[in-house]
Amino acid sequence: MFAANRDMSADEKTIAVYNEKAADYATKFDTGNKPGAQLQRFMDALPKGGRVLDLGCGPARSSRLMLDAGFDVDAVDASTSMVQVAADINNVNVRLGTFDDITQAAAYDGIWANFSLLHAPEDRLPTYIMAIANALRVGGVFHIGMKVGTGMSRDAIDRRYTYVTPAFLDGLLSDAGLKVTATDEGRDVGLSGSSDPWVVKMAVKNG
């Protein structure tokens, strides 16, 4: 989850939730010492020692696992508490940033956005995916996780969500010049306690 007060796309209520619950989030979503199937798939598609942006890294557990696997990781989050938890728990140096800070061109071999862009405003999501595609090198890999649905709403703990259908997300990725190579769908209980459907896609930047 990216954001900062200077960023008009940021949602202060969402950031406040993560600032308050950073330690709880780190405990609930600790994946252990081995990467899950989706993270392993992402890493397997990267060049050895590749440069990766962990976009909205939270407590930076995925960043830690990627660092341990030899990748050069740029970890970023909007929540000051998440930045601190990432340092304290996972020994990862995380910088504070926003979705609007994705301004690099051909800077990364991979971008990992695991359920972070779902907090972006609906009308800005296509712009951010375009910026991500621009920030990837040719052949670069993009992982995105989103909740399934339509429109925008807030959850029980007041976080803002933008929902997508799998087909709509396919269209956004295709429009940005990204070719989908893998899709997963499921349902899980999140921090708010609700059981929600989700979709994960991995895509590659076309040459």
Side-chain angles (χ1 to χ4, degrees):
M1 196 255 346
F2 254 37
N5 289 337
R6 72 179 187 276
D7 183 359
M8 294 303 292
S9 72
D11 183 67
E12 293 183 2
K13 291 181 179 179
T14 302
I15 298 168
V17 171
Y18 285 110
N19 281 337
E20 178 184 352
K21 298 182 179 293
D24 293 340
Y25 188 94
T27 299
K28 182 175 179 61
F29 298 104
D30 185 350
T31 58
N33 294 323
K34 293 183 178 180
Q38 291 163 1
L39 180 57
Q40 188 63 59
R41 179 175 66 199
F42 175 77
M43 292 192 296
D44 288 345
L46 296 171
K48 183 177 180 180
R51 177 75 166 158
V52 178
L53 172 63
D54 189 349
L55 181 61
C57 65
R61 186 59 186 161
S62 294
S63 291
R64 178 71 269 158
L65 292 169
M66 286 189 280
L67 286 165
D68 290 346
F71 295 103
D72 178 13
V73 180
D74 179 19
V76 189
D77 201 87
S79 163
T80 54
S81 294
M82 285 292 192
V83 170
Q84 189 60 54
V85 167
D88 292 345
I89 294 179
N90 289 313
N91 194 29
V92 176
N93 183 23
V94 176
R95 62 184 176 90
L96 201 65
T98 79
F99 292 131
D100 286 330
D101 291 331
I102 309 170
T103 58
Q104 303 94 326
Y108 299 102
D109 298 295
I111 296 178
W112 175 262
N114 197 46
F115 298 97
S116 55
L117 281 165
L118 45 65
H119 295 307
E122 184 177 19
D123 62 351
R124 295 288 290 164
L125 189 58
T127 299
Y128 293 140
I129 291 179
M130 285 286 190
I132 284 166
N134 187 58
L136 282 170
R137 295 167 181 150
V138 173
V141 183
F142 177 43
H143 164 102
I144 181 171
M146 299 285 289
K147 290 192 177 183
V148 173
T150 58
M152 290 176 59
S153 67
R154 292 189 179 275
D155 69 2
I157 55 177
D158 218 15
R159 292 177 297 177
R160 180 183 67 192
Y161 281 95
T162 289
Y163 298 90
V164 298
T165 64
F168 179 73
L169 185 55
D170 280 341
L172 290 179
L173 295 169
S174 178
D175 289 347
L178 300 169
K179 181 180 179 181
V180 174
T181 58
T183 300
D184 300 316
E185 295 185 56
R187 177 181 289 270
D188 279 315
V189 177
L191 190 64
S192 69
S194 64
S195 176
D196 302 309
W198 52 260
V199 58
V200 163
K201 290 187 180 285
M202 193 171 82
V204 176
K205 182 174 180 176
N206 295 324

